Amino acid sequence: MNSALLKVAIAAALIALLWAFVGVERIVGDHETGVSWDLFIKKRPSLQLQFQNPAQNGLEIVPVRDFSQAEQSAFIDFCAIRFGISDAMQCRAVLVKRVV
C-alpha cells in the first residue's frame, strides 16, 4: 500500500512541475493555416497553462503605445513567462520577427 501511495505522490509532483513549467500558446494564423498551438517551456513558473499573445490582433502585432495600462501589464506578464523578457518594446520586436 505504501508503494502505491508513493507512486501517486510522485505522479502528482510530476504533474505539478509540468503544469508550473510548461505552457501552450494559441497562435492565430491566416485563413489557410488557421489556429495552431505551440508548446513551450515557461521562463518562470505560473499556474496558467494556456496563453494567448495580448498584442496579437488577427495577424498583426499591435504597437505597445496603443495598449491601455491593463493591456500593457498583461503583455509584459505574457512576455516574461513566454520569453523571459520584461521590456515591452524588446518583446514586441521578438514577436514581429517571429511572425515574419
Side-chain angles (χ1 to χ4, degrees):
M1 179 99 171
N2 264 346
S3 176
L5 187 59
L6 180 63
K7 288 178 184 178
V8 169
I10 290 172
L14 286 174
I15 290 171
L17 276 174
L18 282 174
W19 192 281
F21 289 101
V22 175
V24 180
E25 180 185 359
R26 181 177 188 262
I27 300 174
V28 178
D30 62 9
H31 66 280
E32 292 179 5
T33 59
V35 174
S36 62
W37 297 90
D38 186 24
L39 188 66
F40 67 94
I41 303 297
K42 298 175 190 174
K43 301 301 182 201
R44 72 170 196 216
S46 77
L47 294 178
Q48 185 176 354
L49 181 64
Q50 194 175 26
F51 295 86
Q52 184 168 349
N53 180 357
Q56 188 168 6
N57 185 9
L59 297 177
E60 296 182 24
I61 304 297
V62 178
V64 176
R65 67 180 176 272
D66 294 346
F67 289 163
S68 69
Q69 189 65 31
E71 290 170 331
Q72 189 168 8
S73 177
F75 180 64
I76 290 170
D77 287 344
F78 168 79
C79 291
I81 292 171
R82 177 71 168 98
F83 301 110
I85 301 171
S86 59
D87 179 59
M89 295 302 290
Q90 186 180 10
C91 184
R92 185 181 183 283
V94 168
L95 292 171
V96 169
K97 284 181 189 176
R98 193 173 79 158
V99 170
V100 175

